[in-house]
Amino acid sequence: MTGGFLMIATSLTGALAVAAAAALWRPRGALQGVLAVCLAGALTAFLYLAGGAAPEALALPLGAPGMPMGLALDGLSGVFLLLLMLAAAAAAAAMLDHHDHDPALAGFFALFIAGMALCLLGADAFALVLGFEVMSLASFALLLTSHRDPVVRGAALLYLGVALIGAVCLVPALGLLSGHGWSFAAMRAHPPAGWRAALVLALVLIGAGAKAGFAPLHVWLPPAHAAAPGPVSALMSGAMTKVALYVLIRVVFDLCGPAQPMWWGMPLLAVGAAGAVLGGLRAGQEGDLKAVLACSTIEHVGFIAIGLGLALAARAVDLPALAALALGGALLHALAHGTFKPLLFIAAGAVQHSAGSRQLDRLGGLIHGMPRTTMAVLLGAACLAGLPPSAGFAGEWTLLQALIAAPRIGGIFWQTLVCAAAALMALAAALAGMAAVRLVGAGFLGRPRSPRGAAAEEAGAPALAGMAGLAAMSVLIGLFPGAVLRLVGPAERLLLRADLVDRAGAVLVAPQAGGPGYAALGIAILLGLALALVLAVTRRRMVAGQRRGPAWGCGFAPAPAWLPFGDPLTQYGAASFAQPLARTLGATLLGARTSLDMPEPGDPRPARLATIWHDPADTWLFRPVSRLRAAVSALADGMQFLTIRRTLTVMFLVLVVFLTVIAVLGQL
């Protein structure tokens, strides 16, 4: 049936397309129109979800020949539409700060948002694919128009190649589902089975996973974000990856039907756990501010994939309570990531414009010249690290509670996989904390490392307004996760016929009805009181004549008068954090280009051990044979130079493989 909310959402999508055309004449006015439309879209999506999210449908006299294009709005699309419009409104405000003079940039930006909105509102295969491809082509055009550097064009072409892989896989998947019609209603009435269902799952995992940032299809993320302006990166990481996840959820959970086997959840669980750890490792190694944030996106998308895989498996064995907990945690974390990650990317764009660099080793001391931006980064870093009571902690806590309950289902193979996923998720969370401390400490605290960084000025009012709005949303999600879980309840009921209403209250989220849970507001109050007490005691103990020092001094001496910015070598930098991790785990596993990868003087190891994965954009996905041959050769050459630590690591990996083989044989 046609409803008012869908009509409003459709009209707003059309208004975005009009703004894209108007940007040719008045780019600033077009961006202002995009900001107003996105704010209206966010309010519409929120009211729709709060009102119960009754499904609405609409047919437009457009589309393929002889076939009208169908649009629909339900609980699932409403959740992601809210996320899209919030991130897009903040990104549009930031665009008004430094990018309001380029007609092409403003036009493709509006078209980018319109494509994502159309993908979310599509009710048939044509509308979904059209929106998905408009989103991909508009973002590719944004990368090309933002810079003229050949390196940037190379990053854009890499991104286009991954987008084409996604399209090549997504279109056949929808074709396999459309044997009785292109509409979603016809697909739901005739879900696939047998080899068709397995092929659809594989194609969608590749097609949507390539755009979402699943490992190993994540290769486009760091180079693309390095090439894009800050607001565009905010929209790509905060919204575009979530639209790809929406496509995955729509196809796998909805269109393929509920009668799917338990093993459907295993690929998502494995890919999510691997991506979470890989992203955490890369985030702790990168020296570029935006590359750190891009690798962190790989990690958090991995967290969401873990929740989706667990929900699929729990639904298959008829455990609706566990499935609702896992899916609710995934959606909660998607909403949280859709607010704090655009916040960090907008701040990174402001830093690049004001300090003239994104390299952590050339920043430092920005808290003095950019205090408001630094406060926003501190809040986003707390969410990135998953510190309570931040928005990032709420989703991770819910997902971890679902993982703790998951080993009760399935056989020994499933139990081993879930336990390994829980351990890897904990490791990824620890790595995220290290990456957040490294980002804030090296980039914003300490002493400036360059004259341009010392003279950095605060971001403009539009960018600060966008950051303030995202910060407020992150705080609300972190303090009231129960209310957010109630808001995503219609999506869970649509996909699982279950929700978390009985376990999500105004101030408490519990894994079991009536049991103990997580009270974010209470933790925030206790932490605030503890902080106030520490400050009061500290100020009371300060006596006259007592020498004060910098809060983040790193042990360096005061700068002499003839060296006003100090000596950068006397304080740690980004490489100081990265060096222990690189030496412990091996830089060849991380895929980051860094001087730490090379052997030290006198090291008998062959130099090629350190250069197998020298470029994040050049991975085994594109050169499998040569990379595998180089890895085997390097492993054979380096086995004789293993230290005790590396020997123990190899023994641990062999033990894990042995237990996995035993678990598989036990299922045969």
Side-chain angles (χ1 to χ4, degrees):
M1 59 179 294
T2 303
F5 288 106
L6 179 57
M7 291 293 295
I8 295 174
T10 304
S11 301
L12 294 176
T13 304
L16 289 171
V18 173
L24 296 175
W25 295 277
R26 297 189 60 183
R28 183 173 181 83
L31 289 175
Q32 291 172 342
V34 169
L35 174 59
V37 168
C38 291
L39 290 175
L43 180 60
T44 301
F46 175 77
L47 293 177
Y48 173 73
L49 293 172
E56 301 178 3
L58 176 67
L60 297 179
L62 303 171
M67 184 175 61
M69 184 169 62
L71 302 180
L73 185 63
D74 54 26
L76 180 62
S77 56
V79 169
F80 285 90
L81 186 65
L82 174 62
L83 184 154
L84 166 64
M85 291 302 174
L86 287 174
M95 288 283 288
L96 288 169
D97 199 2
H98 301 299
H99 305 281
D100 59 345
H101 58 281
D102 191 335
L105 198 62
F108 287 125
F109 182 79
L111 190 62
F112 185 28
I113 304 172
M116 289 188 283
L118 177 60
C119 184
L120 295 177
L121 296 177
D124 54 39
F126 177 80
L128 181 71
V129 172
L130 177 62
F132 197 84
E133 293 310 310
V134 168
M135 172 186 75
S136 300
L137 293 177
S139 53
F140 169 69
L142 282 170
L143 295 180
L144 285 181
T145 57
S146 58
H147 296 279
R148 308 301 180 189
D149 195 310
V151 176
V152 174
R153 291 185 177 274
L157 292 176
L158 172 65
Y159 169 75
L160 181 62
V162 175
L164 290 177
I165 292 175
V168 167
C169 294
L170 187 59
V171 172
L174 292 173
L176 289 172
L177 290 170
S178 59
H180 295 80
W182 289 95
S183 68
F184 288 170
M187 295 179 186
R188 293 188 190 100
H190 301 86
W195 67 269
R196 288 180 178 270
L199 184 56
V200 168
L201 175 64
L203 290 173
V204 171
L205 283 177
I206 298 174
K211 191 58 66 69
F214 286 174
L217 304 172
H218 64 281
V219 293
W220 63 271
L221 270 166
H225 283 294
V232 176
S233 291
L235 203 53
M236 292 175 67
S237 180
M240 186 181 72
T241 57
K242 308 307 178 301
V243 172
L245 288 173
Y246 162 82
V247 173
L248 174 66
I249 297 172
R250 175 66 72 185
V251 174
V252 175
F253 280 84
D254 186 16
L255 302 183
C256 289
Q260 300 300 341
M262 180 181 173
W263 68 264
W264 270 45
M266 293 181 181
L268 277 170
L269 197 67
V271 168
V277 174
L278 177 62
L281 290 172
R282 289 284 304 274
Q285 290 285 297
E286 295 288 351
D288 186 288
L289 178 59
K290 291 178 70 176
V292 172
L293 299 179
C295 293
S296 173
T297 296
I298 302 169
E299 175 190 3
H300 288 275
V301 167
F303 288 159
I304 298 171
I306 289 175
L308 296 179
L310 193 55
L312 272 176
R315 185 181 70 169
V317 295
D318 196 21
L319 290 175
L322 177 59
L325 184 64
L327 183 59
L331 294 177
L332 173 61
H333 199 66
L335 283 170
H337 187 262
T339 55
F340 73 77
K341 188 52 68 69
L343 168 65
L344 289 170
F345 269 114
I346 292 174
V351 167
Q352 181 181 5
H353 179 80
S354 185
S357 176
R358 297 193 312 263
Q359 297 298 319
L360 293 176
D361 286 335
R362 293 189 57 82
L363 300 176
L366 295 178
I367 190 173
H368 304 293
M370 307 177 71
R372 296 181 179 86
T373 302
T374 304
M375 292 300 106
V377 171
L378 285 172
L379 176 62
C383 297
L384 188 149
L387 299 180
S390 68
F393 179 81
E396 292 180 21
W397 181 88
T398 308
L399 291 172
L400 189 58
Q401 294 301 317
L403 279 173
I404 292 174
R408 304 171 189 171
I409 63 176
I412 185 173
F413 180 73
W414 172 258
Q415 294 171 8
T416 304
L417 180 61
V418 170
C419 290
L424 291 176
M425 184 175 176
L427 174 62
L431 293 171
M434 188 207 74
V437 173
R438 175 174 175 265
L439 184 148
V440 174
F444 294 84
L445 305 182
R447 204 161 51 192
R449 296 180 177 87
S450 66
R452 178 75 180 268
E457 297 179 351
E458 190 59 90
L464 288 176
M467 286 188 280
L470 291 174
M473 294 305 304
S474 297
V475 170
L476 290 176
I477 293 174
L479 294 181
F480 303 101
V484 179
L485 288 173
R486 286 178 172 267
L487 202 64
V488 303
E492 293 192 286
R493 291 190 292 271
L494 174 71
L495 303 175
L496 306 174
R497 305 297 186 266
D499 55 30
L500 292 173
V501 173
D502 58 337
R503 290 172 281 173
V507 295
L508 182 69
V509 177
Q512 296 180 352
Y518 168 58
L521 187 59
I523 293 176
I525 294 174
L526 290 177
L527 289 176
L529 292 175
L531 179 61
L533 179 62
V534 169
L535 291 177
V537 172
T538 303
R539 291 182 178 180
R540 189 176 184 86
R541 291 178 62 88
M542 293 294 293
V543 296
Q546 188 171 1
R547 185 173 64 89
R548 291 176 176 267
W552 195 270
C554 312
F556 56 75
W562 51 270
L563 197 62
F565 303 110
D567 185 0
L569 296 179
T570 61
Q571 61 176 330
Y572 74 89
S576 305
F577 268 105
Q579 187 176 23
L581 186 63
R583 294 186 182 277
T584 302
L585 300 175
T588 56
L589 298 177
L590 306 181
R593 184 192 297 272
T594 169
S595 60
L596 298 174
D597 295 349
M598 301 306 297
E600 294 182 350
D603 192 337
R605 294 178 301 159
R608 59 177 168 172
L609 270 176
T611 57
I612 295 176
W613 294 84
H614 62 280
D615 192 346
D618 185 15
T619 65
W620 64 267
L621 179 65
F622 298 99
R623 297 184 179 179
V625 177
S626 61
R627 294 297 174 187
L628 181 61
R629 184 177 63 244
V632 172
S633 176
L635 181 62
D637 292 339
M639 286 293 289
Q640 55 182 323
F641 302 110
L642 288 179
T643 62
I644 295 177
R645 182 185 60 214
R646 292 188 173 91
T647 303
L648 292 176
T649 302
V650 172
M651 292 176 62
F652 174 76
L653 293 176
V654 171
L655 179 61
V656 170
V657 173
F658 174 75
L659 292 176
T660 303
V661 172
I662 292 297
V664 173
L665 293 177
Q667 297 293 309
L668 298 179

XYZ file of all heavy atoms in Angstrom, residues 124-201:
569
model
N 12.400 -3.803 -6.382
C 12.623 -4.822 -7.405
C 14.100 -4.805 -7.787
O 14.865 -3.931 -7.355
C 11.734 -4.604 -8.627
C 11.867 -3.211 -9.224
O 13.005 -2.702 -9.270
O 10.849 -2.632 -9.628
N 14.493 -5.779 -8.577
C 15.900 -5.926 -8.923
C 16.406 -4.736 -9.733
O 17.553 -4.296 -9.562
C 16.106 -7.220 -9.700
N 15.553 -4.193 -10.612
C 15.984 -3.073 -11.451
C 16.313 -1.857 -10.602
O 17.369 -1.226 -10.776
C 14.890 -2.740 -12.463
C 15.214 -1.553 -13.325
C 16.051 -1.687 -14.419
C 14.683 -0.302 -13.038
C 16.360 -0.591 -15.206
C 14.987 0.793 -13.821
C 15.829 0.646 -14.916
N 15.431 -1.487 -9.685
C 15.663 -0.304 -8.852
C 16.873 -0.501 -7.952
O 17.675 0.426 -7.750
C 14.417 -0.003 -8.020
N 17.037 -1.713 -7.403
C 18.171 -1.968 -6.523
C 19.485 -1.845 -7.273
O 20.420 -1.166 -6.819
C 18.030 -3.361 -5.909
C 19.128 -3.790 -4.943
C 19.026 -3.012 -3.647
C 19.056 -5.280 -4.653
N 19.583 -2.472 -8.436
C 20.823 -2.426 -9.207
C 21.079 -1.019 -9.737
O 22.228 -0.538 -9.747
C 20.772 -3.452 -10.350
C 21.964 -3.284 -11.285
C 20.744 -4.867 -9.782
N 20.017 -0.325 -10.170
C 20.193 1.038 -10.671
C 20.760 1.944 -9.585
O 21.721 2.689 -9.813
C 18.854 1.580 -11.178
C 18.867 3.029 -11.675
C 19.794 3.178 -12.875
C 17.457 3.497 -12.036
N 20.181 1.895 -8.403
C 20.697 2.715 -7.315
C 22.110 2.329 -6.931
O 22.958 3.198 -6.658
N 22.407 1.024 -6.901
C 23.739 0.551 -6.528
C 24.787 1.032 -7.524
O 25.885 1.465 -7.134
C 23.715 -0.978 -6.463
C 24.868 -1.580 -5.728
C 24.854 -1.705 -4.355
C 25.977 -2.041 -6.423
C 25.927 -2.277 -3.673
C 27.050 -2.612 -5.758
C 27.023 -2.730 -4.381
N 24.462 1.001 -8.810
C 25.438 1.412 -9.820
C 25.569 2.930 -9.906
O 26.657 3.449 -10.159
C 25.049 0.830 -11.179
C 25.155 -0.690 -11.227
C 26.481 -1.188 -10.717
O 27.532 -0.675 -11.172
O 26.488 -2.070 -9.847
N 24.477 3.657 -9.708
C 24.591 5.122 -9.638
C 25.489 5.517 -8.466
O 26.328 6.429 -8.576
C 23.195 5.766 -9.508
C 23.309 7.238 -9.148
C 22.424 5.604 -10.815
N 25.320 4.847 -7.339
C 26.185 5.075 -6.181
C 27.651 4.815 -6.536
O 28.534 5.624 -6.213
C 25.736 4.168 -5.033
C 26.639 4.143 -3.834
S 26.111 2.918 -2.611
C 26.645 1.392 -3.437
N 27.930 3.723 -7.219
C 29.311 3.375 -7.552
C 29.919 4.363 -8.542
O 31.056 4.834 -8.361
C 29.357 1.958 -8.130
O 28.863 1.012 -7.207
N 29.182 4.702 -9.589
C 29.727 5.601 -10.611
C 29.878 7.019 -10.080
O 30.853 7.716 -10.418
C 28.824 5.581 -11.847
C 28.784 4.253 -12.610
C 27.805 4.332 -13.772
C 30.172 3.877 -13.107
N 28.927 7.479 -9.265
C 29.042 8.828 -8.704
C 30.234 8.932 -7.761
O 30.965 9.937 -7.770
C 27.749 9.199 -7.979
N 30.467 7.912 -6.943
C 31.627 7.948 -6.046
C 32.926 7.871 -6.837
O 33.923 8.517 -6.474
C 31.533 6.813 -5.030
O 31.341 5.560 -5.683
N 32.946 7.105 -7.925
C 34.127 7.068 -8.790
C 34.387 8.446 -9.401
O 35.536 8.914 -9.454
C 33.927 6.021 -9.874
C 34.945 6.062 -10.974
C 36.257 5.702 -10.737
C 34.585 6.474 -12.251
C 37.204 5.737 -11.754
C 35.517 6.515 -13.268
C 36.833 6.146 -13.019
N 33.324 9.112 -9.837
C 33.489 10.452 -10.397
C 33.968 11.444 -9.338
O 34.748 12.356 -9.638
C 32.162 10.925 -10.996
N 33.526 11.273 -8.108
C 34.002 12.150 -7.034
C 35.498 12.004 -6.824
O 36.200 12.990 -6.573
C 33.253 11.834 -5.740
C 31.832 12.381 -5.617
C 31.135 11.794 -4.397
C 31.850 13.897 -5.532
N 36.000 10.776 -6.914
C 37.440 10.575 -6.764
C 38.207 11.219 -7.907
O 39.284 11.797 -7.701
C 37.751 9.078 -6.700
C 37.211 8.306 -5.497
C 37.598 6.842 -5.595
C 37.698 8.901 -4.197
N 37.677 11.133 -9.117
C 38.380 11.701 -10.268
C 38.371 13.223 -10.257
O 39.360 13.859 -10.640
C 37.748 11.195 -11.569
C 38.049 9.744 -11.974
C 37.368 9.430 -13.289
C 39.548 9.504 -12.077
N 37.264 13.818 -9.844
C 37.157 15.278 -9.900
C 37.802 15.972 -8.716
O 38.010 17.185 -8.755
C 35.678 15.697 -9.960
O 34.972 15.148 -8.828
C 35.038 15.201 -11.230
N 38.129 15.229 -7.652
C 38.684 15.883 -6.468
C 40.158 16.209 -6.636
O 40.661 17.159 -6.038
C 38.488 15.000 -5.228
O 39.097 13.731 -5.424
N 40.902 15.423 -7.454
C 42.330 15.636 -7.660
C 42.672 15.343 -9.116
O 41.948 14.650 -9.810
C 43.173 14.735 -6.755
C 42.993 15.017 -5.296
N 43.636 16.032 -4.645
C 42.231 14.390 -4.357
C 43.295 16.030 -3.368
N 42.438 15.052 -3.169
N 43.816 15.874 -9.528
C 44.330 15.594 -10.878
C 45.607 14.759 -10.829
O 46.226 14.530 -11.860
C 44.622 16.922 -11.603
C 43.458 17.899 -11.599
C 42.233 17.315 -12.263
N 41.126 18.261 -12.256
C 39.885 17.948 -12.623
N 39.603 16.719 -13.011
N 38.920 18.857 -12.583
N 45.985 14.304 -9.681
C 47.216 13.539 -9.518
C 47.072 12.163 -10.169
O 46.046 11.498 -10.008
C 47.511 13.386 -8.023
C 48.944 12.931 -7.781
O 49.353 11.954 -8.415
O 49.631 13.556 -6.951
N 48.091 11.677 -10.892
C 48.006 10.331 -11.480
C 47.850 9.234 -10.432
O 47.212 8.211 -10.699
C 49.335 10.200 -12.236
C 49.772 11.601 -12.502
C 49.291 12.408 -11.346
N 48.443 9.423 -9.245
C 48.287 8.426 -8.191
C 46.824 8.336 -7.757
O 46.286 7.254 -7.512
C 49.192 8.774 -6.996
C 48.974 7.797 -5.848
C 50.654 8.770 -7.423
N 46.171 9.486 -7.673
C 44.755 9.501 -7.311
C 43.932 8.813 -8.389
O 42.984 8.066 -8.084
C 44.281 10.952 -7.086
C 42.785 10.991 -6.844
C 45.028 11.570 -5.921
N 44.285 9.036 -9.632
C 43.556 8.350 -10.708
C 43.761 6.839 -10.625
O 42.841 6.063 -10.917
C 44.033 8.881 -12.066
C 43.621 10.334 -12.320
C 44.010 10.784 -13.712
N 43.559 12.138 -13.968
C 42.352 12.449 -14.420
N 41.490 11.484 -14.688
N 42.002 13.701 -14.626
N 44.944 6.425 -10.235
C 45.159 4.998 -10.046
C 44.288 4.433 -8.941
O 43.723 3.335 -9.071
N 44.141 5.184 -7.836
C 43.263 4.739 -6.754
C 41.814 4.682 -7.215
O 41.062 3.766 -6.848
C 43.408 5.675 -5.557
N 41.418 5.665 -8.038
C 40.047 5.671 -8.546
C 39.798 4.489 -9.473
O 38.721 3.872 -9.433
C 39.772 6.992 -9.277
N 40.780 4.153 -10.298
C 40.615 3.003 -11.192
C 40.562 1.697 -10.407
O 39.823 0.771 -10.771
C 41.751 2.973 -12.212
C 41.741 4.102 -13.244
C 42.975 4.021 -14.139
C 40.469 4.047 -14.087
N 41.347 1.600 -9.342
C 41.267 0.418 -8.486
C 39.880 0.295 -7.875
O 39.287 -0.795 -7.846
C 42.331 0.501 -7.387
C 42.251 -0.567 -6.296
C 42.511 -1.952 -6.878
C 43.240 -0.257 -5.175
N 39.356 1.422 -7.399
C 38.008 1.418 -6.834
C 36.977 1.018 -7.886
O 36.057 0.237 -7.605
C 37.690 2.801 -6.274
C 36.244 2.994 -5.914
C 35.712 2.411 -4.776
C 35.399 3.754 -6.723
C 34.382 2.582 -4.441
C 34.077 3.930 -6.407
C 33.571 3.343 -5.258
O 32.248 3.503 -4.943
N 37.127 1.528 -9.106
C 36.194 1.178 -10.170
C 36.269 -0.310 -10.489
O 35.240 -0.960 -10.753
C 36.492 2.009 -11.417
C 35.577 1.765 -12.623
C 34.137 2.121 -12.291
C 36.062 2.552 -13.836
N 37.478 -0.872 -10.472
C 37.607 -2.298 -10.728
C 36.886 -3.143 -9.692
O 36.192 -4.114 -10.028
N 37.013 -2.776 -8.414
C 36.308 -3.511 -7.360
C 34.802 -3.323 -7.511
O 34.018 -4.262 -7.298
C 36.800 -3.053 -5.979
C 35.993 -3.703 -4.868
C 38.271 -3.374 -5.805
N 34.365 -2.109 -7.880
C 32.938 -1.868 -8.083
C 32.399 -2.722 -9.236
O 31.269 -3.233 -9.169
C 32.690 -0.392 -8.357
N 33.192 -2.881 -10.293
C 32.759 -3.733 -11.404
C 32.655 -5.196 -10.978
O 31.751 -5.914 -11.411
C 33.733 -3.587 -12.572
C 33.694 -2.240 -13.305
C 34.763 -2.191 -14.384
C 32.322 -1.988 -13.909
N 33.575 -5.631 -10.122
C 33.470 -6.988 -9.586
C 32.160 -7.156 -8.831
O 31.464 -8.175 -8.965
C 34.674 -7.295 -8.677
C 35.956 -7.370 -9.503
C 34.468 -8.596 -7.911
C 37.206 -7.542 -8.670
N 31.815 -6.144 -8.045
C 30.550 -6.203 -7.319
C 29.352 -6.287 -8.240
O 28.427 -7.073 -8.002
N 29.361 -5.492 -9.317
C 28.233 -5.516 -10.249
C 28.143 -6.841 -10.998
O 27.054 -7.394 -11.190
C 28.369 -4.363 -11.240
N 29.307 -7.373 -11.404
C 29.322 -8.638 -12.141
C 28.753 -9.770 -11.291
O 28.155 -10.717 -11.821
C 30.754 -8.946 -12.608
C 30.887 -10.372 -13.090
C 31.167 -7.985 -13.717
N 28.931 -9.694 -9.985
C 28.418 -10.750 -9.099
C 26.986 -10.475 -8.646
O 26.192 -11.411 -8.495
C 29.319 -10.892 -7.876
S 30.978 -11.493 -8.252
N 26.640 -9.208 -8.425
C 25.315 -8.892 -7.890
C 24.213 -9.117 -8.919
O 23.131 -9.631 -8.586
C 25.294 -7.442 -7.399
C 24.045 -6.985 -6.663
C 23.810 -7.835 -5.418
C 24.151 -5.517 -6.290
N 24.452 -8.756 -10.169
C 23.420 -8.912 -11.193
C 23.055 -10.382 -11.424
O 21.860 -10.733 -11.452
C 23.867 -8.223 -12.501
C 22.903 -8.541 -13.633
C 23.959 -6.714 -12.301
N 24.004 -11.310 -11.570
C 23.600 -12.713 -11.695
C 22.895 -13.261 -10.460
O 21.999 -14.110 -10.580
C 24.932 -13.440 -11.931
C 25.848 -12.411 -12.439
C 25.442 -11.141 -11.784
N 23.280 -12.784 -9.274
C 22.603 -13.252 -8.065
C 21.130 -12.881 -8.087
O 20.252 -13.703 -7.785
C 23.286 -12.667 -6.833
N 20.840 -11.648 -8.470
C 19.434 -11.236 -8.561
C 18.737 -11.948 -9.718
O 17.530 -12.214 -9.651
C 19.353 -9.722 -8.732
C 19.802 -8.904 -7.510
C 19.851 -7.420 -7.845
C 18.887 -9.146 -6.332
N 19.479 -12.257 -10.786
C 18.882 -13.005 -11.885
C 18.467 -14.405 -11.473
O 17.414 -14.911 -11.893
N 19.270 -15.053 -10.622
C 18.898 -16.377 -10.123
C 17.660 -16.328 -9.237
O 16.911 -17.300 -9.146
C 20.073 -16.980 -9.342
C 21.284 -17.423 -10.161
C 22.427 -17.809 -9.248
C 20.917 -18.596 -11.069
N 17.452 -15.191 -8.583
C 16.291 -15.050 -7.705
C 15.021 -14.677 -8.458
O 13.916 -14.819 -7.917
C 16.567 -13.987 -6.636
C 17.588 -14.337 -5.555
C 17.929 -13.102 -4.730
C 17.054 -15.428 -4.651
N 15.155 -14.164 -9.674
C 14.009 -13.579 -10.383
C 13.397 -14.538 -11.393
O 12.965 -14.118 -12.462
C 14.442 -12.291 -11.086
O 15.490 -12.557 -11.994
N 13.363 -15.822 -11.085
C 12.772 -16.773 -12.018
C 11.284 -16.589 -12.201
O 10.718 -16.943 -13.245
N 10.592 -16.028 -11.202
C 9.147 -15.815 -11.281
C 8.779 -14.330 -11.277
O 7.627 -13.983 -11.058
C 8.451 -16.512 -10.108
C 8.578 -18.000 -10.126
N 9.719 -18.652 -9.697
C 7.712 -18.974 -10.551
C 9.553 -19.957 -9.822
N 8.361 -20.182 -10.346
N 9.737 -13.450 -11.472
C 9.451 -12.023 -11.520
C 10.595 -11.230 -10.908
O 11.375 -11.731 -10.089
N 10.690 -9.949 -11.309
C 11.766 -9.086 -10.846
C 11.447 -8.412 -9.521
O 12.343 -7.849 -8.888
C 12.066 -8.015 -11.899
C 12.739 -8.560 -13.108
C 12.146 -8.952 -14.271
C 14.140 -8.803 -13.273
N 13.074 -9.422 -15.159
C 14.328 -9.339 -14.579
C 15.256 -8.619 -12.470
C 15.569 -9.679 -15.065
C 16.503 -8.971 -12.959
C 16.651 -9.488 -14.245
N 10.215 -8.426 -9.088
C 9.848 -7.749 -7.846
C 10.304 -8.564 -6.643
O 10.433 -9.788 -6.706
C 8.341 -7.525 -7.783
O 7.664 -8.760 -7.656
N 10.524 -7.876 -5.533
C 10.920 -8.563 -4.316
C 9.809 -9.476 -3.812
O 10.093 -10.533 -3.230
C 11.287 -7.544 -3.238
C 12.592 -6.830 -3.496
C 12.965 -5.733 -2.735
C 13.448 -7.261 -4.498
C 14.162 -5.081 -2.963
C 14.645 -6.614 -4.747
C 14.996 -5.515 -3.976
N 8.563 -9.094 -4.014
C 7.451 -9.941 -3.570
C 7.471 -11.294 -4.279
O 7.257 -12.345 -3.662
C 6.125 -9.225 -3.816
N 7.766 -11.290 -5.597
C 7.842 -12.555 -6.328
C 9.040 -13.383 -5.875
O 8.969 -14.620 -5.804
C 7.926 -12.282 -7.830
N 10.145 -12.732 -5.568
C 11.321 -13.463 -5.098
C 11.057 -14.103 -3.735
O 11.478 -15.233 -3.476
C 12.526 -12.515 -5.020
C 12.976 -11.965 -6.359
S 14.387 -10.831 -6.176
C 14.547 -10.218 -7.846
N 10.370 -13.378 -2.853
C 10.065 -13.950 -1.536
C 9.135 -15.154 -1.665
O 9.239 -16.108 -0.890
C 9.414 -12.894 -0.649
C 10.299 -11.738 -0.262
C 9.634 -10.846 0.766
N 10.376 -9.622 0.971
C 10.057 -8.457 0.414
N 8.993 -8.374 -0.390
N 10.785 -7.388 0.647
N 8.222 -15.103 -2.613
C 7.273 -16.207 -2.775
C 7.933 -17.460 -3.329
O 7.407 -18.562 -3.145
C 6.129 -15.775 -3.684
N 9.085 -17.321 -3.993
C 9.775 -18.482 -4.580
C 11.259 -18.384 -4.242
O 12.098 -18.089 -5.113
C 9.574 -18.529 -6.097
C 8.140 -18.614 -6.510
N 7.352 -17.483 -6.660
C 7.341 -19.684 -6.781
C 6.142 -17.854 -7.028
N 6.107 -19.176 -7.096
N 11.634 -18.621 -2.978
C 13.053 -18.535 -2.594
C 13.858 -19.647 -3.238
O 13.327 -20.712 -3.578
C 13.008 -18.676 -1.070
C 11.753 -19.432 -0.801
C 10.777 -19.000 -1.845
N 15.158 -19.441 -3.433
C 15.992 -20.460 -4.071
C 16.270 -21.622 -3.119
O 16.125 -21.511 -1.905
C 17.274 -19.695 -4.408
C 17.343 -18.643 -3.356
C 15.923 -18.234 -3.081
N 16.701 -22.718 -3.683
C 17.035 -23.900 -2.895
C 18.181 -24.638 -3.572
O 18.449 -24.444 -4.764
C 15.821 -24.820 -2.754
N 18.860 -25.469 -2.804
C 19.927 -26.299 -3.347
C 21.095 -25.484 -3.855
O 21.545 -24.530 -3.222
N 21.598 -25.881 -5.042
C 22.772 -25.220 -5.582
C 22.506 -23.778 -5.964
O 23.421 -22.934 -5.921
C 23.291 -25.992 -6.799
C 22.380 -25.964 -7.991
C 21.399 -26.845 -8.297
C 22.362 -24.966 -9.028
N 20.762 -26.486 -9.459
C 21.342 -25.328 -9.937
C 23.100 -23.816 -9.280
C 21.049 -24.576 -11.060
C 22.822 -23.061 -10.403
C 21.811 -23.441 -11.283
N 21.266 -23.459 -6.328
C 20.940 -22.065 -6.648
C 21.114 -21.178 -5.418
O 21.654 -20.066 -5.503
C 19.508 -21.966 -7.170
C 19.312 -22.528 -8.570
C 17.866 -22.380 -9.003
N 17.668 -22.875 -10.355
C 17.776 -22.137 -11.452
N 18.080 -20.853 -11.334
N 17.598 -22.651 -12.639
N 20.636 -21.655 -4.271
C 20.763 -20.867 -3.043
C 22.231 -20.677 -2.677
O 22.656 -19.571 -2.293
C 20.006 -21.555 -1.910
N 23.033 -21.743 -2.792
C 24.452 -21.628 -2.471
C 25.158 -20.661 -3.417
O 26.018 -19.867 -2.997
C 25.105 -23.006 -2.527
N 24.805 -20.695 -4.699
C 25.424 -19.793 -5.660
C 25.011 -18.346 -5.398
O 25.836 -17.424 -5.505
C 25.039 -20.210 -7.078
C 25.694 -19.424 -8.220
C 27.215 -19.482 -8.109
C 25.232 -19.963 -9.569
N 23.746 -18.128 -5.052
C 23.301 -16.775 -4.710
C 24.075 -16.242 -3.515
O 24.514 -15.083 -3.498
C 21.781 -16.762 -4.431
C 21.359 -15.444 -3.790
C 21.005 -16.983 -5.724
N 24.257 -17.077 -2.491
C 25.008 -16.652 -1.310
C 26.431 -16.263 -1.684
O 26.933 -15.209 -1.253
C 25.010 -17.773 -0.270
C 25.858 -17.529 0.983
C 25.323 -16.348 1.770
C 25.914 -18.774 1.851
